[in-house]
Amino acid sequence: MKTLTSIVFIISFSLATFAQSNGDKIKTLKIAYITEKLNLSEKEAQKFWPIYNEFEEENSNLRRQSYETRKKTDLNTISEEEALQLLKKIRMNEEKRDKLKSEFINNLMKVIPAKKIILLHKVEDDFKRKMFDEYKKRKK
Protein backbone atom coordinates (compact mmCIF):
# COMPACT_ATOMS: atom_id res chain seq x y z
CA MET A 1 0.00 0.00 0.00
CA LYS A 2 2.84 2.41 0.84
CA THR A 3 4.52 1.61 -2.46
CA LEU A 4 1.32 2.27 -4.39
CA THR A 5 0.81 5.58 -2.57
CA SER A 6 4.41 6.57 -3.29
CA ILE A 7 4.05 5.73 -6.99
CA VAL A 8 0.81 7.72 -7.27
CA PHE A 9 2.44 10.68 -5.50
CA ILE A 10 5.50 10.61 -7.78
CA ILE A 11 3.40 10.39 -10.93
CA SER A 12 1.10 13.20 -9.75
CA PHE A 13 4.08 15.36 -8.86
CA SER A 14 5.73 14.66 -12.22
CA LEU A 15 2.58 15.54 -14.14
CA ALA A 16 2.07 18.69 -12.11
CA THR A 17 5.68 19.71 -12.69
CA PHE A 18 5.41 18.95 -16.41
CA ALA A 19 2.24 21.06 -16.67
CA GLN A 20 3.74 24.08 -14.91
CA SER A 21 5.10 27.01 -16.85
CA ASN A 22 8.77 27.95 -16.44
CA GLY A 23 7.81 30.75 -14.06
CA ASP A 24 5.90 28.33 -11.86
CA LYS A 25 8.80 25.88 -11.94
CA ILE A 26 11.24 28.57 -10.89
CA LYS A 27 8.91 29.72 -8.12
CA THR A 28 8.59 26.13 -6.88
CA LEU A 29 12.36 25.70 -6.94
CA LYS A 30 12.82 29.01 -5.11
CA ILE A 31 10.36 27.99 -2.39
CA ALA A 32 12.13 24.67 -1.89
CA TYR A 33 15.57 26.31 -1.94
CA ILE A 34 14.70 29.04 0.57
CA THR A 35 12.84 26.63 2.86
CA GLU A 36 15.82 24.28 2.89
CA LYS A 37 18.55 26.91 3.26
CA LEU A 38 16.72 28.78 6.02
CA ASN A 39 15.92 25.45 7.65
CA LEU A 40 12.32 26.56 8.18
CA SER A 41 10.25 24.35 10.42
CA GLU A 42 6.77 23.45 9.22
CA LYS A 43 5.28 25.99 11.63
CA GLU A 44 7.70 28.72 10.50
CA ALA A 45 7.09 27.95 6.82
CA GLN A 46 3.31 28.20 7.25
CA LYS A 47 3.67 31.72 8.62
CA PHE A 48 6.68 32.79 6.54
CA TRP A 49 5.41 32.09 3.01
CA PRO A 50 2.23 34.22 3.07
CA ILE A 51 4.30 37.20 4.31
CA TYR A 52 7.05 36.56 1.77
CA ASN A 53 4.64 36.09 -1.15
CA GLU A 54 2.71 39.26 -0.34
CA PHE A 55 5.95 41.24 -0.13
CA GLU A 56 7.22 39.80 -3.42
CA GLU A 57 3.98 40.65 -5.21
CA GLU A 58 3.81 44.22 -3.89
CA ASN A 59 7.52 44.82 -4.52
CA SER A 60 7.19 43.46 -8.05
CA ASN A 61 4.25 45.80 -8.71
CA LEU A 62 6.25 48.80 -7.50
CA ARG A 63 9.25 47.81 -9.66
CA ARG A 64 6.97 47.38 -12.68
CA GLN A 65 5.36 50.80 -12.10
CA SER A 66 8.75 52.44 -11.85
CA TYR A 67 9.97 50.72 -15.02
CA GLU A 68 6.85 51.67 -16.98
CA THR A 69 7.08 55.29 -15.83
CA ARG A 70 10.68 55.54 -17.05
CA LYS A 71 9.93 53.60 -20.24
CA LYS A 72 7.18 56.06 -21.25
CA THR A 73 9.54 59.00 -20.89
CA ASP A 74 11.42 60.28 -23.91
CA LEU A 75 14.61 61.65 -22.39
CA ASN A 76 15.44 63.55 -25.57
CA THR A 77 12.32 65.71 -25.44
CA ILE A 78 11.51 65.90 -21.72
CA SER A 79 11.25 69.41 -20.28
CA GLU A 80 12.89 70.41 -17.01
CA GLU A 81 9.48 70.59 -15.32
CA GLU A 82 8.55 67.11 -16.58
CA ALA A 83 11.93 65.81 -15.40
CA LEU A 84 11.28 67.24 -11.93
CA GLN A 85 7.88 65.55 -11.85
CA LEU A 86 9.44 62.28 -12.98
CA LEU A 87 12.09 62.51 -10.25
CA LYS A 88 9.34 63.14 -7.72
CA LYS A 89 7.49 59.99 -8.88
CA ILE A 90 10.70 57.94 -8.78
CA ARG A 91 11.52 59.13 -5.26
CA MET A 92 7.99 58.41 -4.05
CA ASN A 93 8.21 54.92 -5.52
CA GLU A 94 11.56 54.32 -3.82
CA GLU A 95 10.12 55.51 -0.51
CA LYS A 96 7.19 53.11 -0.92
CA ARG A 97 9.63 50.27 -1.59
CA ASP A 98 11.71 51.20 1.47
CA LYS A 99 8.60 51.29 3.64
CA LEU A 100 7.43 47.97 2.19
CA LYS A 101 10.81 46.38 2.96
CA SER A 102 10.72 47.71 6.51
CA GLU A 103 7.21 46.35 7.08
CA PHE A 104 8.31 43.04 5.57
CA ILE A 105 11.18 42.73 8.03
CA ASN A 106 8.93 43.72 10.95
CA ASN A 107 6.39 41.08 9.94
CA LEU A 108 9.07 38.42 9.54
CA MET A 109 10.46 39.19 12.99
CA LYS A 110 7.15 37.94 14.40
CA VAL A 111 7.54 34.51 12.78
CA ILE A 112 11.24 33.68 12.36
CA PRO A 113 14.46 34.53 14.20
CA ALA A 114 16.47 37.61 13.19
CA LYS A 115 19.37 35.40 12.07
CA LYS A 116 17.13 33.72 9.48
CA ILE A 117 15.91 37.10 8.23
CA ILE A 118 19.50 38.20 7.64
CA LEU A 119 20.29 34.86 6.00
CA LEU A 120 17.26 35.26 3.71
CA HIS A 121 18.96 38.01 1.69
CA LYS A 122 22.03 35.85 1.08
CA VAL A 123 19.89 32.82 0.20
CA GLU A 124 17.87 34.86 -2.33
CA ASP A 125 21.09 36.13 -3.93
CA ASP A 126 22.50 32.58 -4.07
CA PHE A 127 19.31 31.35 -5.74
CA LYS A 128 19.41 34.13 -8.35
CA ARG A 129 23.06 33.36 -9.05
CA LYS A 130 22.28 29.64 -9.48
CA MET A 131 19.41 30.44 -11.85
CA PHE A 132 21.62 32.79 -13.87
CA ASP A 133 24.43 30.19 -14.05
CA GLU A 134 21.91 27.56 -15.19
CA TYR A 135 20.60 29.96 -17.82
CA LYS A 136 24.15 30.59 -19.11
CA LYS A 137 24.81 26.83 -19.30
CA ARG A 138 21.66 26.22 -21.31
CA LYS A 139 22.46 29.03 -23.73
CA LYS A 140 25.83 27.48 -24.63
Side-chain angles (χ1 to χ4, degrees):
M1 187 64 171
K2 289 181 183 179
T3 306
L4 180 60
T5 304
S6 297
I7 292 171
V8 169
F9 175 75
I10 291 170
I11 290 172
S12 298
F13 182 74
S14 298
L15 290 174
T17 302
F18 181 74
Q20 289 178 331
S21 71
N22 283 341
D24 289 342
K25 286 180 187 177
I26 291 171
K27 188 173 183 175
T28 301
L29 289 170
K30 184 177 182 181
I31 289 169
Y33 187 82
I34 291 173
T35 301
E36 176 189 345
K37 295 297 182 181
L38 291 184
N39 196 24
L40 295 175
S41 69
E42 186 176 332
K43 185 178 177 181
E44 287 175 332
Q46 287 175 346
K47 293 178 181 178
F48 171 84
W49 286 109
I51 294 168
Y52 184 87
N53 291 335
E54 182 181 350
F55 168 76
E56 284 286 295
E57 184 177 334
E58 290 180 30
N59 194 41
S60 178
N61 288 339
L62 289 171
R63 269 196 322 264
R64 188 174 21 265
Q65 288 173 9
S66 182
Y67 170 76
E68 288 175 6
T69 299
R70 287 189 309 263
K71 184 179 167 187
K72 289 184 220 174
T73 305
D74 183 358
L75 297 177
N76 295 320
T77 61
I78 190 170
S79 70
E80 186 63 22
E81 182 60 34
E82 291 169 327
L84 288 171
Q85 291 302 315
L86 179 61
L87 277 176
K88 186 176 179 180
K89 283 183 182 179
I90 290 170
R91 287 178 58 197
M92 285 176 52
N93 188 284
E94 288 174 357
E95 288 171 6
K96 285 180 186 177
R97 288 183 67 195
D98 288 342
K99 183 179 177 191
L100 180 65
K101 181 75 171 179
S102 181
E103 290 172 1
F104 173 62
I105 291 170
N106 288 336
N107 289 335
L108 285 182
M109 288 174 58
K110 297 172 188 171
V111 298
I112 61 174
K115 187 174 179 180
K116 288 184 180 184
I117 295 170
I118 293 168
L119 182 59
L120 174 61
H121 185 70
K122 180 188 180 315
V123 169
E124 287 176 315
D125 287 346
D126 291 348
F127 181 79
K128 288 175 193 171
R129 195 172 309 106
K130 285 180 184 281
M131 289 293 104
F132 185 69
D133 290 345
E134 184 64 29
Y135 174 78
K136 286 193 311 188
K137 278 188 217 173
R138 290 181 184 212
K139 284 294 181 184
K140 287 183 180 179

